[in-house]
Amino acid sequence: MWFAVSTLFFTVLGAGWLTRLVPTARTTWLKPLLAFSGAYLFTLTITHLLPEALATPAGHRIGYFVLAGFFGQLVLEVFSQGVEHGHVHHHTEHAGQVPFLLLFSLVVHSFLEGSILVKAPGVGNISQNFYAIVAGVALHHIPAAFALMAALLLRLGSFGRAVPYLVLFALAGPAGVIVSNYVVLEQLLQGGAYAALLGLVAGNFLHVSTTILFETSPEHRLNLPKLAATLLGMLLALAMDWV
């Protein structure tokens, strides 16, 4: 469990630190990574999260939670401006102001993702898929953290001023892991609470992953690097069954 906490925390910090090494105006390198992470998340959701949620006693109601997660993410993106899937914004209005709504939506998004990382008896196959989900969330957070830091640097003009808000985002996923495993574990294991949470995050993942996959090929042309990254992401998620 602490592996998940440290992985999520340091992945975000490391991705944010990349803005000191890579120009934020040049994001071509992000597109294959986005395609890879989008394909991984989509495959993970279809082959792991949804079957696990549907296999629970509350499985007949999971569709409602999937829809809530899908359309809830649509609402969150009104405030986050697509940072969850690597949108780097270069406009300079609101200079000097912290984008609190953007931060809030990212923190909620990350907290929910971390909250399904429960490794305990009574949660079905989620323990078997634990590391596959950790990998998916971490991969997804790399472009998100980079895009967030790029937006903060543009607004605040200083890496030092932006770092505390990056740390806040980095703590959100681990906080979800800790709360689920130590604070509300008993409640999650009773009834259909965990299944509902899994459905919410599955809907969230479906929205984010499909948006990423569509946006990486808006011209609908064959792009071999993106196609290769997409196939690799799918194959890695499938291969995690044997890890």
Side-chain angles (χ1 to χ4, degrees), residues 12-13 19 24 36 39 58 67 71 73 96 98 101-102 104 119 129 136 169 171 180-181 192 197 203 220 240-241:
V12 169
L13 287 188
T19 56
T24 57
F36 180 85
L67 287 172
F71 290 105
Q73 179 58 32
V98 178
L101 286 177
L102 187 156
F104 171 77
K119 197 167 187 185
N129 304 327
F169 176 43
L171 289 170
S180 286
N181 283 273
L197 181 61
H220 302 291
M240 293 299 284
D241 283 334

Side-chain angles (χ1 to χ4, degrees), residues 155-177:
R155 288 207 182 192
L156 303 179
S158 164
F159 189 85
R161 292 180 62 194
V163 163
Y165 303 104
L166 177 70
V167 172
L168 178 63
F169 176 43
L171 289 170
V177 178

Side-chain angles (χ1 to χ4, degrees), residues 97-239:
Q97 299 178 19
V98 178
F100 286 113
L101 286 177
L102 187 156
L103 273 170
F104 171 77
S105 63
L106 282 181
V107 166
V108 170
H109 176 87
S110 183
F111 181 87
L112 284 174
E113 290 174 339
S115 67
I116 66 168
L117 291 167
V118 176
K119 197 167 187 185
V123 289
N125 294 324
I126 196 67
S127 294
Q128 299 173 21
N129 304 327
F130 185 83
Y131 295 106
I133 298 171
V134 171
V137 175
L139 281 170
H140 164 49
H141 282 179
I142 293 173
F146 185 87
L148 170 64
M149 199 61 176
L152 290 170
L153 287 173
L154 197 64
R155 288 207 182 192
L156 303 179
S158 164
F159 189 85
R161 292 180 62 194
V163 163
Y165 303 104
L166 177 70
V167 172
L168 178 63
F169 176 43
L171 289 170
V177 178
I178 292 169
V179 168
S180 286
N181 283 273
Y182 290 105
V183 181
V184 296
L185 181 60
E186 186 175 341
Q187 291 88 334
L188 284 178
L189 298 183
Q190 294 173 353
Y194 185 73
L197 181 61
L198 209 55
L200 277 173
V201 176
N204 184 290
F205 279 173
L206 284 174
H207 185 283
V208 171
S209 61
T210 52
T211 301
I212 287 173
L213 291 173
F214 291 139
E215 287 184 344
T216 52
S217 296
E219 68 283 355
H220 302 291
R221 295 175 185 172
L222 181 63
N223 185 310
L224 289 179
K226 293 175 190 174
L227 177 61
T230 302
L231 291 175
L232 282 173
M234 179 191 69
L235 291 173
L236 178 61
L238 293 173

